[in-house]
Amino acid sequence: MSYLPLTEIEKPPMDWHQKEINTVIGELNSSLQGLSSAEAQKRLDQYGPNELKEKKKKSGFLMFLDQFKDFMILVLIAAALISGIIGEPSDTIAIIVIVVLNACIGFIQEFRAEKAMAALKKMAASHAVVFRDHQPTQIPASRIVPGDVILLEAGNVVPADLRLTEGAQLQIDEAALTGESLPAKKHIRSLIDPSLPLGDRKNMVYKGTFVTNGRGTGIVVSTGMNTELGRIAAMLRDEAEVKTPLQKRLTAFGQKMALAVLAICALIFVVGLLRAEPLWQMLLTAISLAVAAIPEALPAVVTISLALGAKKLVKQNALIRKLPAVETLGSVTYICSDKTGTLTLNKMTVEEMYVDGQTVRSKEFGVQSPDGQLFNHDGLKENFPPLPAFLSALALNNDVQTDQDGNLIGDATELALVHLAADREFKKKELEEILLRTGEIPFDADRKCMTTIHRVSAAKGPEPETISFTKGAVDVLLDKSENILTSEGLSPLNKNTINSINEKMGAGGLRIIAVAMRRWTTFPEKVSPESIETGLTFLGLAGLMDPPREEARAAIHLCQTAGIIPVMITGDHPVTARAIAERLDIIEAGSDSTITGRELEELSLKEFEKQVQKIRVYARVAPEQKLKIVKALQDKGEFVAMTGDGVNDAPALKRADIGIAMGITGTDVSKEAAHLILLDDNFATIVRAVQEGRKIFDNIRKFIRYLLTTNSGEIWTLFLAPLVGLPIPLLPIHILWINLVTDGLPALALSVEPEEGDVMKRPPRHPKESLFAQGLGFHAIWVGLLMGLTVLLVQTWAIHSGNSHWQTMVFTGLCLTQLGHVLAIRSEKESLFTQGLLTNKPLLGAVVLTFLLQMATIYVPVLNPIFRTVPLSFNELIITLILSSGIFWAVELEKFFKRRTS
């Protein structure tokens, strides 16, 4: 036997589903009896093992060292060294602790990301039964090669991509690959359409999916990285994570801040020398100011803010896997969400019924009862109403079972029908005591229907009466029915009317199930579809849907108010997708903002980017298309949150600015690739997380506003004093103390500031918006200048009045101006008097504690020589307090004008 060369099998064609079985066997040079051991070994040597390959891993040590490459971190390390040189070991220790902690957090996040591939590899089967040398043989799945014939049974994990050659009631759980929640029913017929999505290739099974029912055999067409699972592994391996907005902003901020501080400190040093100040004193002053102005607390405050936010989000069913994701949520402009289970309940429900010539919503009719309507003491009544017959069919025509806890288990569609009947007192268990199930004709894909047969236990006479119920596709049951049951009895069946009702219900996104019955006085000897499923009486239609979550609609409205665009992505039919989107107000009725996976496939990325911002609903999408959606939106400058639960979602989750995995239905692969895990699989939780993210970014901005302004005040003080002929107002110890206490506790307390009232009433921040935007930089300059002028005013007054305590007054005044400032910037617009002092108790406590510590440096005798201070008189302290409070009132006045102009 001759075999294809390596290059022809190594990358199998994507059209195996189109080919007849004999063609597939011929192209793979195999047979239905499989390969010989010798040929299998030869192919294994050529193609390699059936395994997913990983790129070369970085060692843990190198991964850890990489965390120190950031410019801000390098500046902090330099500041630590300088602090040690000038004799400030406490600052050195604090900075080193912050840097190492930051590196550990970064290392943990990167290490976790490496686990995504490991989780993917776990999905692969460990062993499989193949036909070798005409005998079924169990081998390690890694030794499977193209052309092998695999035996599949319920409970097996599919070991490679197979074209089915035989199948009996075979059902495969493909949710991890396709997102479809229901097992796919398989057959062996060839399919015509070359561009069918994976979920519609009913004659193919794929590596990593799970056999839930039946048995079958298939011939291996792809192994290892050439399988669909392998393609996803390659996408996951090659797809780089995108830096978060916060990481980008802080990197830019740190670089600008460090360079500006170094330049200013150098200038102050030169000006001091020109005024004949002592060289060593000016050097220490410049270095101390540099150390104080470098924002070494910034990484700690950011980390603490994010950690507190993450802790709060866990209580709201959102588990943060990567800390920067907390803040990134506040930048999101698009939320691309799966439909099933996130926007919907993931529970099929009967929404609408057509019975007795009327279409009714399932909630519109009250409780029924089978008592006296179907039976009398002789058995089935001669005539009974259509609705009880319809509900009885729903209750009995299914394979739903009750588990040991009393819960109903079974197919989602059948469960919905049984629940509807049970809610109207047509309970399966009670009905089966009267209508004993004696046989069935199972559903199959060719007939598109299922029949159950029941004997009436109370019937009298020589032969018990029998009734059969059939449910299935509307067109199939119309062909098998000869009349319809109405309240007037049996009536002629108008197929055009039923088809019209079916189309109308289907247009609303409902999945339609038709129901029929037949009464038998003489039951056929042979039970077959031909003898039983004929001459039926049509009962009605049931329209089912996985309904939207009530809270999802409110959450979508909140998104739209906040300037965030919600987008639905689903594997469902476009009609169903549009119906759900309209009910959730994602799109308006009649909107053309829907696209299918097939239409998307025909567009190049460039063509797609021209319309991506207009599309709100995607239906029938493939794994790489989710990634295409994310890339297109990001190329247009959007920040994208993407939800997902399957293996197919992992590359897109990794690429998205925020990847959101499902905690209940999500695979390990999707969870490892995600930034955030929804513990309740609920869209509303995403919106709550966005709200928290916005609050956290607001608080980080408040900290930076405070940090820049306090540093600006210190710089203006030291810069202006020599220019106006005043002596250097602060000693290095004063600068470092102010840096330690005022930039420490109060700054940290800003991280727990409650959210402002308009947090979800404003549009998302522009992705490229600077940290200095919205007047933050200007505020830092003018308030810092005011701080400097205030304390220099104190210094001038004290010196001209002959007061020798001027340096202590300047030191204390600068500290107090910063405490007044931190109280005033709790909100960008709202007055502190409206907010109330007690709405942020940690901040109030930090201000009080810092004030007491500052007083201790003045009035505790043992500290006077250390800080070069002297006790101030009551009048000196009051003057300092009054002048320092001017900063608070100035910022309150600024906010007053903001409120007036907004």
Side-chain angles (χ1 to χ4, degrees):
M1 180 182 288
S2 61
Y3 295 96
L4 290 176
L6 169 64
T7 52
E8 292 185 44
I9 302 181
E10 193 177 37
K11 294 184 179 178
M14 299 299 293
D15 58 354
W16 292 113
H17 63 281
Q18 289 183 272
K19 300 177 185 295
E20 296 291 343
I21 294 171
N22 289 337
T23 305
V24 174
I25 291 170
E27 290 191 10
L28 292 171
N29 281 327
S30 184
S31 71
L32 291 176
Q33 288 74 44
L35 303 172
S36 67
S37 296
E39 176 57 27
Q41 183 60 50
K42 181 181 175 183
R43 294 192 184 193
L44 184 63
D45 293 339
Q46 285 182 316
Y47 312 140
N50 175 35
E51 294 175 338
L52 301 183
K53 298 176 183 176
E54 300 182 58
K55 62 182 177 182
K56 189 177 180 181
K57 286 186 178 179
K58 193 189 297 181
S59 71
F61 179 67
L62 287 177
M63 208 181 289
F64 184 71
L65 286 183
D66 280 349
Q67 310 307 316
F68 295 94
K69 290 181 178 177
D70 186 80
F71 180 80
M72 187 75 174
I73 298 299
L74 293 174
V75 170
L76 289 178
I77 292 171
L81 292 174
I82 294 171
S83 297
I85 292 169
I86 66 172
E88 294 297 333
S90 59
D91 261 30
T92 301
I93 293 169
I95 294 171
I96 289 173
V97 168
I98 289 168
V99 167
V100 172
L101 178 64
N102 192 66
C104 289
I105 291 169
F107 169 76
I108 290 167
Q109 289 170 2
E110 191 171 340
F111 182 74
R112 279 178 172 174
E114 295 291 328
K115 288 185 177 180
M117 181 63 76
L120 198 62
K121 293 182 79 171
K122 281 183 184 177
M123 290 185 60
S126 58
H127 288 80
V129 176
V130 305
F131 286 93
R132 291 277 171 87
D133 302 316
H134 304 280
Q135 297 294 326
T137 307
Q138 187 176 65
I139 64 169
S142 61
R143 298 185 65 82
I144 290 172
V145 295
D148 265 328
V149 174
I150 309 291
L151 177 65
L152 298 174
E153 294 181 333
N156 291 164
V157 175
V158 179
D161 287 3
L162 314 178
R163 168 64 164 92
L164 289 173
T165 57
E166 182 183 333
Q169 303 295 316
L170 185 64
Q171 295 185 26
I172 308 289
D173 181 355
E174 297 179 331
L177 271 182
T178 65
E180 295 286 353
S181 55
L182 300 178
K185 297 178 173 67
K186 296 294 183 176
H187 59 70
I188 64 172
R189 299 186 307 277
S190 60
L191 301 166
I192 298 172
D193 192 338
S195 58
L196 282 176
L198 292 186
D200 291 339
R201 297 179 192 175
K202 301 299 185 183
N203 57 11
M204 298 287 296
V205 294
Y206 296 100
K207 182 180 178 70
T209 57
F210 186 74
V211 183
T212 60
N213 187 63
R215 59 179 179 78
T217 58
I219 186 166
V220 176
V221 295
S222 304
T223 59
M225 296 300 287
N226 289 322
T227 62
E228 290 296 331
L229 194 66
R231 289 174 60 223
I232 292 167
M235 292 160 66
L236 188 61
R237 182 185 64 187
D238 299 336
E239 198 57 55
E241 284 200 55
V242 179
K243 268 195 169 186
T244 70
L246 184 62
Q247 288 169 327
K248 293 174 185 174
R249 290 184 179 107
L250 289 181
T251 298
F253 169 73
Q255 291 173 349
K256 292 175 183 175
M257 181 78 177
L259 293 173
V261 165
L262 292 175
I264 291 169
C265 291
L267 182 61
I268 289 173
F269 175 71
V270 170
V271 170
L273 290 182
L274 292 176
R275 291 194 73 251
E277 297 285 351
L279 173 65
W280 184 246
Q281 182 184 342
M282 286 310 304
L283 181 62
L284 284 179
T285 300
I287 291 173
S288 299
L289 183 59
V291 171
I294 296 294
E296 73 272 12
L298 181 58
V301 169
V302 169
T303 301
I304 290 168
S305 297
L306 298 177
L308 290 173
K311 184 179 178 182
K312 182 176 179 181
L313 285 172
V314 168
K315 296 177 182 177
Q316 298 177 358
N317 292 315
L319 175 64
I320 300 292
R321 290 193 64 256
K322 301 172 185 177
L323 269 186
V326 179
E327 178 276 333
T328 311
L329 284 160
S331 299
V332 163
T333 57
Y334 271 74
I335 299 178
C336 299
S337 174
D338 284 338
K339 176 185 72 68
T340 304
T342 308
L343 292 169
T344 64
L345 293 171
N346 196 20
K347 180 182 179 183
M348 292 297 285
T349 305
V350 179
E351 293 264 309
E352 202 167 272
M353 295 177 297
Y354 173 77
V355 184
D356 195 14
Q358 293 185 323
T359 303
V360 291
R361 305 289 294 178
S362 61
K363 297 177 181 178
E364 291 176 2
F365 65 87
V367 174
Q368 304 288 312
S369 172
D371 296 340
Q373 300 200 57
L374 290 176
F375 318 104
N376 55 32
H377 62 281
D378 293 324
L380 281 176
K381 294 176 69 174
E382 183 64 29
N383 296 304
F384 45 76
L387 184 56
F390 179 79
L391 292 172
S392 297
L394 299 187
L396 294 168
N397 182 257
N398 57 75
D399 291 322
V400 170
Q401 302 292 324
T402 304
D403 65 15
Q404 57 187 11
D405 298 322
N407 300 312
L408 296 177
I409 55 173
D411 176 82
T413 299
E414 291 191 336
L415 282 170
L417 300 175
V418 170
H419 281 303
L420 175 76
D423 289 343
R424 273 74 187 174
E425 298 300 326
F426 284 73
K427 297 178 180 176
K428 179 175 181 176
K429 186 175 180 181
E430 295 175 4
L431 284 172
E432 283 185 332
E433 292 176 0
I434 304 168
L435 297 174
L436 305 177
R437 182 161 166 171
T438 58
E440 69 171 301
I441 306 174
F443 177 90
D444 70 47
D446 294 326
R447 290 177 22 258
K448 297 182 181 178
C449 64
M450 168 188 180
T451 298
T452 56
I453 301 160
H454 304 265
R455 177 169 55 81
V456 183
S457 61
K460 297 181 179 180
E463 184 175 345
E465 187 175 5
T466 300
I467 188 169
S468 63
F469 294 111
T470 303
K471 74 170 186 294
V474 178
D475 56 337
V476 171
L477 262 65
L478 283 177
D479 288 341
K480 295 177 182 293
S481 299
E482 61 182 26
N483 52 40
I484 186 170
L485 184 61
T486 68
S487 51
E488 284 78 35
L490 296 178
S491 303
L493 178 63
N494 187 327
K495 294 183 179 182
N496 290 333
T497 300
I498 302 298
N499 279 323
S500 176
I501 298 296
N502 177 41
E503 289 174 9
K504 186 177 179 182
M505 291 172 69
L510 300 179
R511 180 187 176 192
I512 314 301
I513 302 291
V515 181
M517 58 169 278
R518 182 171 177 180
R519 297 176 67 164
W520 305 83
T521 51
T522 304
F523 196 72
E525 293 183 5
K526 183 180 179 182
V527 175
S528 67
E530 294 75 19
S531 62
I532 303 297
E533 294 172 350
T534 183
L536 304 181
T537 296
F538 199 86
L539 295 177
L541 305 173
L544 300 95
M545 175 184 278
D546 177 13
R549 292 176 181 264
E550 285 297 324
E551 63 271 28
R553 190 175 184 210
I556 282 166
H557 288 165
L558 188 57
C559 275
Q560 291 162 342
T561 302
I564 300 167
I565 297 173
V567 171
M568 178 195 290
I569 301 178
T570 178
D572 268 350
H573 192 279
V575 173
T576 305
R578 274 195 296 267
I580 294 290
E582 286 176 10
R583 287 177 60 172
L584 288 169
D585 292 335
I586 292 175
I587 60 174
E588 296 178 357
S591 168
D592 61 350
S593 52
T594 301
I595 192 172
T596 64
R598 183 174 298 181
E599 292 167 340
L600 181 56
E601 188 177 350
E602 293 170 357
L603 296 174
S604 68
L605 184 60
K606 191 174 181 180
E607 291 171 328
F608 178 44
E609 285 177 3
K610 293 178 182 177
Q611 54 182 294
V612 66
Q613 290 170 307
K614 300 176 183 177
I615 299 169
R616 298 292 178 267
V617 178
Y618 296 84
R620 295 290 192 194
V621 293
E624 60 272 17
Q625 291 175 325
K626 271 196 166 183
L627 188 58
K628 187 176 181 179
I629 294 165
V630 172
K631 285 181 176 178
L633 285 169
Q634 289 176 335
D635 288 347
K636 299 298 284 186
E638 305 291 352
F639 264 80
V640 185
M642 171 71 78
T643 72
D645 56 6
V647 177
N648 58 331
D649 298 318
L653 295 182
K654 187 176 179 182
R655 172 70 190 215
D657 298 288
I658 290 289
I660 304 171
M662 302 297 109
I664 299 173
T665 60
T667 60
D668 288 345
V669 182
S670 64
K671 291 175 185 176
E672 292 293 346
H675 305 82
L676 167 69
I677 299 173
L678 295 185
L679 301 181
D680 59 356
D681 291 9
N682 193 338
F683 182 85
T685 302
I686 303 174
V687 181
R688 287 195 294 270
V690 168
Q691 191 167 343
E692 184 68 18
R694 289 190 174 192
K695 183 197 85 172
I696 286 168
F697 184 76
D698 283 353
N699 289 348
I700 290 173
R701 265 180 58 90
K702 288 168 188 173
F703 165 75
I704 291 174
R705 180 189 296 266
Y706 176 65
L707 175 87
L708 284 178
T709 307
T710 54
N711 290 352
S712 171
E714 294 163 21
I715 290 169
W716 280 119
T717 301
L718 291 168
F719 179 68
L720 292 176
L723 294 181
V724 296
L726 293 172
I728 296 297
L730 296 170
L731 298 174
I733 185 68
H734 298 154
I735 298 170
L736 294 171
W737 171 257
I738 291 172
N739 177 55
L740 180 66
V741 293
T742 61
D743 288 5
L745 291 176
L748 289 173
L750 280 174
S751 65
V752 295
E753 184 66 33
E755 68 187 48
E756 299 197 38
D758 67 342
V759 72
M760 290 298 281
K761 294 178 182 176
R762 57 184 190 239
R765 300 184 306 278
H766 191 281
K768 295 182 180 178
E769 179 181 284
S770 165
L771 280 169
F772 301 96
Q774 300 176 33
L776 188 149
F778 178 71
H779 173 95
I781 292 171
W782 83 259
V783 176
L785 178 60
L786 185 60
M787 285 180 179
L789 293 174
T790 300
V791 296
L792 290 180
L793 180 62
V794 171
Q795 183 182 9
T796 303
W797 170 81
I799 290 174
H800 282 82
S801 62
N803 191 322
S804 61
H805 298 169
W806 62 267
Q807 195 164 58
T808 302
M809 292 177 72
V810 170
F811 174 40
T812 304
L814 192 56
C815 180
L816 296 180
T817 59
Q818 295 180 2
L819 295 183
H821 180 246
V822 79
L823 289 173
I825 62 164
R826 285 183 51 197
S827 170
E828 292 201 16
K829 291 183 180 179
E830 199 173 348
S831 169
L832 176 66
F833 302 104
T834 305
Q835 287 180 289
L837 279 171
L838 298 178
T839 50
N840 188 343
K841 293 177 183 176
L843 179 60
L844 181 61
V847 168
V848 171
L849 178 59
T850 303
F851 177 80
L852 293 176
L853 289 172
Q854 181 62 27
M855 293 301 100
T857 65
I858 302 172
Y859 296 111
V860 175
V862 73
L863 296 178
N864 291 146
I866 297 173
F867 289 95
R868 314 284 179 83
T869 56
V870 291
L872 297 178
S873 67
F874 180 75
N875 287 339
E876 290 169 339
L877 182 61
I878 290 298
I879 290 170
T880 305
L881 280 169
I882 290 173
L883 289 174
S884 300
S885 68
I887 304 302
F888 170 81
W889 295 110
V891 176
E892 281 291 324
L893 187 62
E894 178 193 37
K895 293 193 292 183
F896 171 76
F897 285 115
K898 278 188 178 180
R899 292 194 297 274
R900 291 286 299 270
T901 55
S902 62

